[in-house]
Amino acid sequence: MVKVSVFGKGNMGSAIGQNFADAGNQTEYITKDSTVETLGDIVVLAVPYPAVHDILEKYRSALAGKIIIDITNPVDFNTFDDLVVPADSSAAAEIAAKLPDSKVVKAFNTTFAATLATKKVADQHQTTVLIASDDASAKKQVTDALNGCGLKIIDAGSLKRARELEAMGFLQISLASAEKISWTGGFGIFN
Amino acid sequence: MVKVSVFGKGNMGSAIGQNFADAGNQTEYITKDSTVETLGDIVVLAVPYPAVHDILEKYRSALAGKIIIDITNPVDFNTFDDLVVPADSSAAAEIAAKLPDSKVVKAFNTTFAATLATKKVADQHQTTVLIASDDASAKKQVTDALNGCGLKIIDAGSLKRARELEAMGFLQISLASAEKISWTGGFGIFN
């Protein structure tokens, strides 16, 4: 059992926090109005990408040494045609650069909130979370902490793969926005 | 019914050609040893990305006015950590820049050959082909030509989305290479 601090209690934060709770961990939510002194072993940044940077600023020292899960899809919602991060980077890489003393993990950005809450894509196929990090131990701790929650976890490699994960997240959002798929469906992963 | 010219008769070319044939079209295969004078209405470049450019050179005039389907995943197979195209571009964009008189469509790069041959991902879930192009009429002609073949086709937007499709293709290849998924599985798409 670990303590998990989830920033944000929207659809994504709630569903992710619930999964950690379902696996037997202690979950706390931190919202704009709350302030905490210390953070859990695992910290989930379940806020829109533009809101991440204020959190990194405010909690810089509390985040040191922690596992930080970045779930963001840094879509440019003005154009809906690009990401706001440089093409050769990713939100996760930008966050990692700002948190040299934390272990940054990319996860949960290729799964819609509904598929995390129900543990199934389109009520049919077990939801798989792709996870990437340069810290193998952090990936293992997150995977272990989620053991038994009902989601499948697949190691997608180093944090560099966040670029592809964010491209996939963006594509999935753009398909749902264009009503080509629903927000309860999307990408299911098959062995 | 249209005539479809498929460059390459490997696993991908064969499976794609078979799908066009299954939908009632005339399919021909063009390999290194064969030379043709005229090409079909739809041309599929089912060769590795480095081999595309010789074809574009050799068949430049025959390709004019045609619908060109780029299926490539331009993975750098030396590092297996990057694509060989610039981060803000895509194989499809590079090909389109070389073929200003053709209608370039990105498709079939997010589906493993086995899932095109069996029409199912992991023998379980109907295979979906994501298709992107700046030419709406070309997308419609490809989609219509495949009607009845057993694959589902989803319009993923403009050719700019090829960047995300290639990221997804790369990620899928990297997961299979790392034995996290099998080459008969991968990404299934749910409504």
Side-chain angles (χ1 to χ4, degrees):
Chain A
M1 198 206 75
V2 295
K3 185 177 159 198
V4 182
S5 300
V6 182
F7 281 93
K9 210 182 174 182
N11 290 344
M12 286 296 288
S14 302
I16 293 166
Q18 186 59 49
N19 274 291
F20 278 108
D22 289 347
N25 304 285
Q26 182 194 343
T27 301
E28 70 172 1
Y29 295 93
I30 304 163
T31 58
K32 261 187 200 161
D33 307 323
S34 55
T35 298
V36 295
E37 290 295 316
T38 58
L39 292 166
D41 313 276
I42 295 175
V43 176
V44 183
L45 301 174
V47 298
Y49 182 64
V52 163
H53 298 280
D54 282 351
I55 293 172
L56 303 193
E57 202 62 43
K58 184 172 173 189
Y59 289 93
R60 185 166 304 273
S61 59
L63 291 166
K66 306 295 185 184
I67 294 172
I68 314 297
I69 303 183
D70 163 35
I71 74 155
T72 63
N73 282 305
V75 178
D76 183 337
F77 287 105
N78 292 315
T79 66
F80 228 101
D81 201 32
D82 274 298
L83 299 182
V84 296
V85 293
D88 62 352
S89 184
S90 65
E94 304 288 307
I95 290 169
K98 290 193 176 187
L99 294 178
D101 298 324
S102 305
K103 303 157 199 164
V104 175
V105 171
K106 185 89 201 180
F108 298 110
N109 78 299
T110 62
T111 42
F112 289 148
T115 71
L116 293 169
T118 63
K119 335 263 189 186
K120 289 202 171 171
V121 181
D123 291 323
Q124 284 177 58
H125 184 70
Q126 187 183 24
T127 301
T128 298
V129 173
L130 295 170
I131 176 171
S133 178
D134 291 337
D135 189 311
S137 159
K139 275 192 288 199
K140 185 176 184 317
Q141 285 175 73
V142 171
T143 305
D144 288 349
L146 288 166
N147 186 35
C149 77
L151 301 173
K152 184 171 177 183
I153 316 292
I154 291 184
D155 180 354
S158 73
L159 199 66
K160 198 168 170 189
R161 288 293 78 73
R163 200 162 110 193
E164 285 74 39
L165 294 174
E166 292 173 18
M168 194 173 152
F170 171 30
L171 183 66
Q172 190 174 224
I173 289 169
S174 104
L175 291 172
S177 298
E179 300 185 354
K180 304 292 181 184
I181 58 171
S182 74
W183 295 97
T184 54
F187 302 136
I189 303 181
F190 292 82
N191 186 41
Chain B
M1 198 206 74
V2 295
K3 185 177 158 197
V4 181
S5 300
V6 182
F7 281 93
K9 210 182 173 181
N11 290 343
M12 285 296 288
S14 302
I16 293 166
Q18 187 60 49
N19 274 290
F20 278 108
D22 289 348
N25 303 285
Q26 182 195 343
T27 300
E28 71 172 0
Y29 295 93
I30 304 163
T31 58
K32 261 187 200 162
D33 307 322
S34 55
T35 297
V36 295
E37 291 295 316
T38 57
L39 293 165
D41 314 277
I42 296 175
V43 176
V44 183
L45 301 173
V47 297
Y49 183 64
V52 163
H53 298 280
D54 282 351
I55 293 172
L56 302 194
E57 201 62 44
K58 185 173 173 187
Y59 289 92
R60 185 166 305 274
S61 59
L63 291 165
K66 306 295 185 183
I67 295 172
I68 313 298
I69 303 183
D70 163 36
I71 74 155
T72 64
N73 282 304
V75 178
D76 183 337
F77 287 104
N78 292 315
T79 66
F80 228 101
D81 201 30
D82 274 299
L83 299 182
V84 296
V85 294
D88 62 352
S89 183
S90 65
E94 304 287 307
I95 291 168
K98 290 193 175 187
L99 294 178
D101 299 324
S102 305
K103 303 157 198 163
V104 175
V105 171
K106 185 89 199 180
F108 297 111
N109 77 299
T110 62
T111 42
F112 288 148
T115 70
L116 293 170
T118 63
K119 335 264 189 185
K120 289 201 172 172
V121 182
D123 292 324
Q124 284 176 59
H125 185 70
Q126 187 184 25
T127 301
T128 299
V129 173
L130 295 170
I131 176 171
S133 177
D134 291 338
D135 189 312
S137 157
K139 275 192 288 198
K140 186 176 185 314
Q141 286 175 72
V142 171
T143 304
D144 288 350
L146 288 165
N147 186 35
C149 76
L151 302 172
K152 185 171 175 182
I153 316 292
I154 291 184
D155 180 354
S158 73
L159 199 66
K160 198 169 169 189
R161 288 292 78 72
R163 201 163 111 193
E164 286 74 38
L165 294 175
E166 293 174 17
M168 193 172 153
F170 171 30
L171 183 67
Q172 189 174 227
I173 289 169
S174 104
L175 291 172
S177 299
E179 300 185 355
K180 304 292 180 183
I181 58 172
S182 73
W183 295 97
T184 55
F187 301 137
I189 303 180
F190 292 83
N191 186 41

